[in-house]
Amino acid sequence: MSLIPFDQREGFIWFDGNFVEWKDAKIHILTHGLHYGCTVFEGIRIYNYKPFKLREHQQRLINSAKLVGYNLPFTLEELELAAINVIKKQNIKDGYLRPVAWLGSETMLISGNNCKVHTAIAGWETFEQSRTTIRERGARVVISNWIKPPAACTPFKSKASGIYMIATMVKNEATAKGFDDALMLDINQNITEATTSNFFIISGNKLLTPIPDCFLNGITRQTVIEIAKTNGMEVIEKYIKIEDLNEAEAAFFTGTAIEIMPIGQIAATKATYGFDIKNHKLKILMEAYSKLVNA
């Protein structure tokens, strides 16, 4: 199935407080947010017309903007209502919301303090065929040569577009080599996350995950940790080395779009690690997550 380009779709987008025709939701090429990477965004899944953890996502959008230096011109409640209205107007049963905020075209200087802050929310139906195929066989993952920048180098607690440049580079490189995604290490050779997903391993009744000290502590990550604790698993946040994968029975990614994605293998420089994608504890987590988002 060929996808319609996102600038050619039908419907409406919420843009600076009003709905505009989808094809009319445009910005000028000399827009600060396009050039300097301070655009912030969110991704929110919709299940049976209901956005999952809408408030948490919209609050993070507000926080992300503050971290990169500006305030959104809408309250949390206004953003929540706008998202609900997008779902209704687009009649989205199962899909995805993309809230986004950026600085306007008042200046092309690095400092955008005088720029108007724009905000938009788009939404569309999603199709899971490609992710279902990967989920059934387990993701094939490689260790990237690119490393995660240290905490002092990026506003890593924000979903800012500039941070995702390296994610795009790493994902493109991985898929060109036949992999589904790539893990990045930090400057101390600890595993951090994939391009847009948090990382977990299962060892017995233990669920281990890297400490989010230089990457985003994802909302899905937090949700899975809560589910694991509720189901009696011991959750350990720690620094994880590549060699620690020898002790892992299962491994998986988490993220809004992919939910819980089992990992089949991880290819490192010295070894390839294989994992049980039908692991009992992993199955419990996946079933509990599906039940929660579809409640």
Side-chain angles (χ1 to χ4, degrees):
M1 179 183 67
S2 61
L3 294 177
I4 302 171
F6 277 92
D7 62 345
Q8 297 297 316
R9 300 191 176 198
E10 300 295 332
F12 298 86
I13 291 176
W14 185 84
F15 194 126
D16 285 344
N18 298 292
F19 278 100
V20 300
E21 292 278 353
W22 189 289
K23 295 178 182 179
D24 293 333
K26 299 176 181 179
I27 61 174
H28 196 274
I29 60 169
L30 296 180
T31 296
H32 197 281
L34 174 64
H35 290 258
Y36 297 119
C38 284
T39 295
V40 296
F41 66 95
E42 277 297 319
I44 307 171
R45 282 292 294 269
I46 304 163
Y47 298 90
N48 196 25
Y49 300 105
K50 295 184 292 185
F52 183 64
K53 294 204 170 181
L54 174 62
R55 171 153 289 213
E56 290 89 337
H57 281 285
Q58 297 292 49
Q59 184 61 63
R60 189 169 65 182
L61 183 74
I62 292 170
N63 295 343
S64 291
K66 289 180 179 178
L67 278 169
V68 300
Y70 55 90
N71 295 310
L72 299 191
F74 297 96
T75 66
L76 175 59
E77 291 72 21
E78 288 171 330
L79 291 171
E80 288 181 299
L81 179 60
I84 295 297
N85 287 336
V86 168
I87 295 171
K88 291 179 180 177
K89 198 167 185 69
Q90 292 291 95
N91 191 31
I92 305 170
K93 181 180 179 181
D94 296 294
Y96 188 83
L97 287 173
R98 171 50 58 91
V100 59
W102 66 97
L103 298 178
S105 56
E106 284 74 15
T107 182
M108 276 288 97
L109 299 174
I110 285 289
S111 173
N113 291 338
N114 296 323
C115 288
K116 179 180 178 180
V117 177
H118 296 275
T119 315
I121 303 175
W124 57 89
E125 291 278 344
T126 54
F127 301 94
E128 291 296 299
Q129 184 175 355
S130 61
R131 292 194 186 104
T132 299
T133 300
I134 297 172
R135 187 172 282 107
E136 289 174 347
R137 62 164 165 75
R140 294 188 289 258
V141 182
V142 68
I143 303 293
S144 176
N145 291 325
W146 293 95
I147 65 169
K148 206 71 172 172
C153 295
T154 60
F156 68 91
K157 293 182 179 180
S158 70
K159 281 184 74 71
S161 59
I163 295 176
Y164 283 78
M165 177 189 70
I166 188 172
T168 298
M169 293 164 52
V170 169
K171 186 69 173 273
N172 287 348
E173 187 176 71
T175 55
K177 294 178 179 178
F179 295 95
D180 301 306
D181 209 334
L183 280 168
M184 286 180 281
L185 308 180
D186 65 13
I187 58 173
N188 297 310
Q189 297 297 292
N190 299 307
I191 294 173
T192 62
E193 63 172 355
T195 53
T196 56
S197 311
N198 291 128
F199 177 69
F200 289 84
I201 59 176
I202 295 173
S203 180
N205 195 46
K206 296 179 181 179
L207 182 65
L208 297 89
T209 187
I211 299 169
D213 59 357
C214 65
F215 60 91
L216 194 67
N217 180 10
I219 291 172
T220 308
R221 176 186 186 273
Q222 297 170 47
T223 302
V224 169
I225 287 174
E226 293 170 3
I227 290 172
K229 290 179 178 178
T230 299
N231 282 275
M233 295 185 71
E234 180 184 359
V235 178
I236 302 171
E237 296 183 76
K238 59 170 288 187
Y239 294 114
I240 298 174
K241 301 287 188 182
I242 293 177
E243 53 265 30
D244 293 331
L245 298 176
N246 284 309
E247 308 301 321
E249 298 164 21
F252 61 91
F253 292 134
T254 61
T256 293
I258 65 169
E259 303 173 316
I260 297 177
M261 177 65 73
I263 297 171
Q265 67 176 45
I266 297 176
T269 303
K270 297 181 180 179
T272 296
Y273 302 85
F275 307 97
D276 178 12
I277 63 172
K278 296 183 179 180
N279 175 272
H280 177 63
K281 294 295 183 180
L282 174 56
K283 183 178 179 181
I284 289 174
L285 294 175
M286 293 177 70
E287 290 178 348
Y289 186 84
S290 179
K291 182 178 180 180
L292 177 63
V293 299
N294 288 289

